[in-house]
Amino acid sequence: MGMDQWRRGSAQIRWRTKHTVSSGQKCPPGKGLESIAPLVQSVEETPDPIPTTIKGTIPTWINGSFLRNGPGKFEFGKDRYTHWFDGMAMMHRFHLCDGNVTYSSRFLQSDSYVQNSEKNRIVVSEFGTLAMPDPCKNIFARFFSRFSVPKSTDNASVNFVKYKGDYYVSTETNYMRRVDPQSLETKEKVDWSQYIAVNSATAHPHYDRDGATYNMGNSFGKSGFFYNIIRVPPPEENAAKEDSADLTGATVICSIRAAEPRKPSYYHSFVMSENYIVFIEQPIKLDLLKFMLYQIQGKSFHKVMTWEPQCETIFHLVDKHTGEESEVRYRAAPMFTLHQINAFEDNGMLVMDMCCGDDGEVIGDFTLENLRRGAGEEMDKFYNSLCRNLPRRYVLPLTVDKETPLDQNLVTGYKATAKKTKAKEVYMTHEELYDDELLQYGGLEFPQINYDQYNGKPYRYFYSCGFGHCFSDSLLKMDVHTKELKVWRYPGLYPSEPVFVASPKATEEDDGVVLSVIITPREEKSTFLLILDAKTFTELGRAEVPVNIPYGTHGVFNLKG
């Protein structure tokens, strides 16, 4: 299950004061929006690399592969998926070498994909689509199949991730799939629960400079529900490399008990700085009782999630090296976040930048029916019901103890505040990390930075998508020091998450290029890979691909090609 969008920021803010303006209300409404239905249609795979047509110049120093993931098939036989997240995972590869680009794509050969293909109907339940019992079974077998616990899907359509040097595609269940990043061949299915006591993991791990990978996963049992921080060690330098998945040495370094054991929070990512991990317990709740009953009731998974703004947001601070959780409880007003931008430590404070919204009633709305609405009034109505996510900065004081005074702002040098309200409790307010110019682009999401050099460190720039439509319709570069924007935007063109690639002799943070796949609903087979100069945010070149590509989720650049 992947979750990379947001909803209804205008109607459901009764819990706030009359004077509060939600993130959705700040942005201008959409009017006369075009149909994006062609961006969520099934496509054919292109397993053998094909050439592209180059316009402009592709810098010859870019050598490697831009890998992307996302849903690419939305029906089997007469069965149709309900939700965008349900589509079968399709992997894309743009290989750049000496100024030339080739393109290939393959469907992930997940158990879900293979079984659905063999039966020519949907036999594995996904996030928003419940697989119906086999019509060939007798009435008693169909009845009892309703009471069986559904297996988690391995339709890993959210992201490419790395563990010990190997690439995997990931969603948010306990299953990943190892893949060959050059041929896009599907390799073995990996079950997290075979290595450590978790039954899920996010599709957004963080990477340390020593090669270790950190992630988060859930576990629950008689003793309660826990959010677990996972560490997978770096590959051993002299170990013989076998062609098989290797998560040996994976450990849970910290288990955080859920505030409500029967209603834990949903999370899509987490915060990591050089020495700390912060887990954000937000008011999007999973009802575990509903979760256990949802198949019997004939409901899909997204029906068990609720936005509960009467609950505050809790930030759990964990020492990355010892796994020790701080006794201080950091609180803030209810908010909803999917993606961290960056975090760093500064003079006894932890600065955390992330994309946030004021309404978490998000995920269920991205049904294929909604995304395929007609142009004009119907599409406008759906888009204007969605939340907008905007960049925010929270600053968490690291040295709070018995001597810390009450009700004094503990933050210096930033507009965000943090006040100790009682023993072991701190209440935080955020700084808006943008100027009003951003609002005309519909807020932003899918943030990326110069990760290799600046993750967990003080930084200046991030790149993201603007959302003037239900899918991103602009690329943005934000200077977090000045809050100034640089923008790439053209009517009818819908970019993917921008990924930064540093130039080989880079001396500045934004020395390099930004890669994004551009698709359009206006013309068949008009996809292109866009290469922007990261410093000026102007186009250097594009590689045109004569195939249709659907709207996707996340991607990475693989230097090894």
Side-chain angles (χ1 to χ4, degrees):
M1 130 187 124
M3 296 195 178
D4 284 298
Q5 311 287 337
W6 30 95
R7 158 169 139 112
R8 257 194 335 248
S10 56
Q12 301 206 354
I13 53 169
R14 288 186 291 273
W15 48 275
R16 290 183 172 270
T17 66
K18 292 180 181 178
H19 304 293
T20 303
V21 179
S22 77
S23 54
Q25 289 174 318
K26 291 178 180 178
C27 299
K31 191 170 184 181
L33 296 176
E34 68 182 321
S35 170
I36 54 171
L39 308 186
V40 285
Q41 302 293 342
S42 297
V43 298
E44 299 295 320
E45 63 182 2
T46 309
D48 297 317
I50 59 172
T52 63
T53 302
I54 306 298
K55 299 284 176 70
T57 303
I58 311 294
T60 54
W61 59 259
I62 310 174
N63 288 294
S65 294
F66 186 30
L67 304 173
R68 297 265 311 145
N69 200 356
K73 182 175 176 61
F74 299 97
E75 65 283 311
F76 285 93
K78 295 179 180 179
D79 290 358
R80 300 286 184 269
Y81 286 115
T82 301
H83 202 281
W84 176 55
F85 299 156
D86 300 340
M88 293 290 98
M90 189 178 208
M91 302 173 288
H92 309 267
R93 177 178 183 254
F94 291 85
H95 182 57
L96 297 88
C97 184
D98 296 329
N100 294 307
V101 181
T102 60
Y103 169 77
S104 56
S105 64
R106 293 182 98 167
F107 282 110
L108 180 70
Q109 298 297 303
S110 61
D111 289 352
S112 302
Y113 180 88
V114 171
Q115 290 169 19
N116 292 338
S117 299
E118 287 173 351
K119 299 285 188 181
N120 198 31
R121 65 184 186 87
I122 297 171
V123 297
V124 179
S125 294
E126 298 292 340
F127 172 69
T129 305
L130 191 75
M132 289 295 105
D134 188 342
C136 297
K137 289 182 178 178
N138 65 41
I139 189 169
F140 294 107
R142 289 206 304 274
F143 175 77
F144 284 110
S145 72
R146 281 281 193 182
F147 291 87
S148 62
V149 177
K151 289 183 178 179
S152 296
T153 180
D154 65 338
N155 176 35
S157 63
V158 179
N159 205 359
F160 278 85
V161 299
K162 281 180 84 171
Y163 296 96
K164 294 193 174 184
D166 284 332
Y167 275 98
Y168 299 79
V169 284
S170 176
T171 177
E172 293 183 332
T173 68
N174 57 309
Y175 294 124
M176 299 187 297
R177 278 281 184 170
R178 194 167 68 93
V179 294
D180 184 318
Q182 295 177 336
S183 67
L184 300 182
E185 177 190 354
T186 302
K187 294 185 176 286
E188 69 267 45
K189 181 165 76 170
V190 177
D191 182 351
W192 273 105
S193 65
Q194 299 301 305
Y195 290 88
I196 48 176
V198 297
N199 43 45
S200 70
T202 83
H204 289 289
H206 276 295
Y207 307 101
D208 229 341
R209 282 174 178 76
D210 68 355
T213 305
Y214 292 82
N215 206 339
M216 290 200 63
N218 298 330
S219 65
F220 52 89
K222 291 179 180 177
S223 56
F225 188 102
F226 295 89
Y227 314 106
N228 300 298
I229 299 172
I230 304 161
R231 181 182 185 271
V232 179
E236 295 176 25
E237 283 187 24
N238 301 318
K241 185 63 180 169
E242 295 182 14
D243 186 25
S244 61
D246 179 16
L247 294 181
T248 55
T251 54
V252 171
I253 65 169
C254 182
S255 291
I256 300 165
R257 186 181 292 274
E260 292 183 84
R262 293 186 180 179
K263 280 193 171 183
S265 291
Y266 168 75
Y267 57 96
H268 187 71
S269 63
F270 59 99
V271 173
M272 188 172 94
S273 68
E274 198 165 357
N275 296 296
Y276 296 95
I277 285 172
V278 180
F279 167 63
I280 301 167
E281 196 168 16
Q282 59 187 353
I284 302 180
K285 299 292 186 178
L286 303 174
D287 189 318
L288 291 188
L289 186 59
K290 285 184 182 177
F291 179 73
M292 290 185 281
L293 296 174
Y294 84 95
Q295 194 188 31
I296 299 169
Q297 295 171 339
K299 292 181 179 180
S300 55
F301 179 79
H302 74 276
K303 301 288 187 186
V304 309
M305 301 175 73
T306 56
W307 170 240
E308 301 196 3
Q310 72 276 13
C311 300
E312 290 182 318
T313 305
I314 308 296
F315 295 75
H316 298 270
L317 175 69
V318 176
D319 185 306
K320 198 171 78 177
H321 308 294
T322 66
E324 188 175 346
E325 182 183 359
S326 170
E327 293 183 354
V328 178
R329 185 182 176 92
Y330 297 90
R331 302 159 42 240
M335 63 88 167
F336 148 70
T337 183
L338 289 174
H339 299 114
Q340 176 204 345
I341 302 168
N342 199 11
F344 58 91
E345 294 148 44
D346 177 20
N347 198 26
M349 298 175 291
L350 178 55
V351 181
M352 302 175 292
D353 297 345
M354 58 195 79
C355 299
C356 302
D358 292 317
D359 187 349
E361 297 210 36
V362 181
I363 310 303
D365 275 3
F366 271 67
T367 62
L368 291 167
E369 181 181 16
N370 279 335
L371 292 171
R372 291 170 179 166
R373 288 187 183 198
E377 190 176 341
E378 280 302 298
M379 182 53 78
D380 295 351
K381 186 178 178 182
F382 173 54
Y383 171 75
N384 293 330
S385 74
L386 299 173
C387 186
R388 306 285 183 271
N389 277 14
L390 297 166
R392 288 180 182 171
R393 171 166 285 176
Y394 290 86
V395 180
L396 187 152
L398 295 170
T399 52
V400 178
D401 56 27
K402 289 187 291 185
E403 308 303 318
T404 304
L406 291 175
D407 299 322
Q408 290 185 20
N409 183 16
L410 306 175
V411 175
T412 56
Y414 299 96
K415 293 179 182 175
T417 71
K419 295 180 180 180
K420 181 180 170 185
T421 51
K422 57 183 177 181
K424 299 180 181 178
E425 278 211 2
V426 171
Y427 190 84
M428 304 190 299
T429 67
H430 63 270
E431 172 186 348
E432 302 288 14
L433 206 60
Y434 62 90
D435 284 338
D436 286 351
E437 183 190 0
L438 173 63
L439 301 177
Q440 65 181 287
Y441 299 104
L444 57 81
E445 256 294 347
F446 294 150
Q448 288 281 335
I449 61 169
N450 180 343
Y451 190 95
D452 289 345
Q453 296 300 318
Y454 289 87
N455 181 53
K457 293 185 173 182
Y459 75 114
R460 181 161 185 174
Y461 304 108
F462 74 89
Y463 312 91
S464 63
C465 289
F467 278 81
H469 205 311
C470 304
F471 284 157
S472 51
D473 66 345
S474 63
L475 293 169
L476 308 172
K477 177 187 180 182
M478 171 75 81
D479 182 332
V480 297
H481 291 182
T482 65
K483 300 181 182 176
E484 289 178 298
L485 279 181
K486 285 186 168 69
V487 181
W488 185 94
R489 187 187 202 185
Y490 293 91
L493 298 183
Y494 294 82
S496 72
E497 170 189 64
V499 170
F500 176 84
V501 182
S503 62
K505 297 178 181 178
T507 56
E508 295 183 284
E509 182 181 342
D510 57 352
D511 277 353
V513 297
V514 167
L515 306 179
S516 178
V517 179
I518 312 299
I519 57 178
T520 179
R522 297 184 179 185
E523 196 175 341
E524 283 280 302
K525 299 179 178 178
S526 296
T527 301
F528 61 91
L529 173 66
L530 174 69
I531 294 91
L532 295 178
D533 181 301
K535 192 175 287 291
T536 63
F537 224 53
T538 54
E539 181 173 338
L540 296 172
R542 60 178 67 180
E544 297 176 343
V545 189
V547 300
N548 290 326
I549 294 179
Y551 191 77
T553 46
H554 295 288
V556 297
F557 187 75
N558 176 23
L559 271 172
K560 294 181 181 177

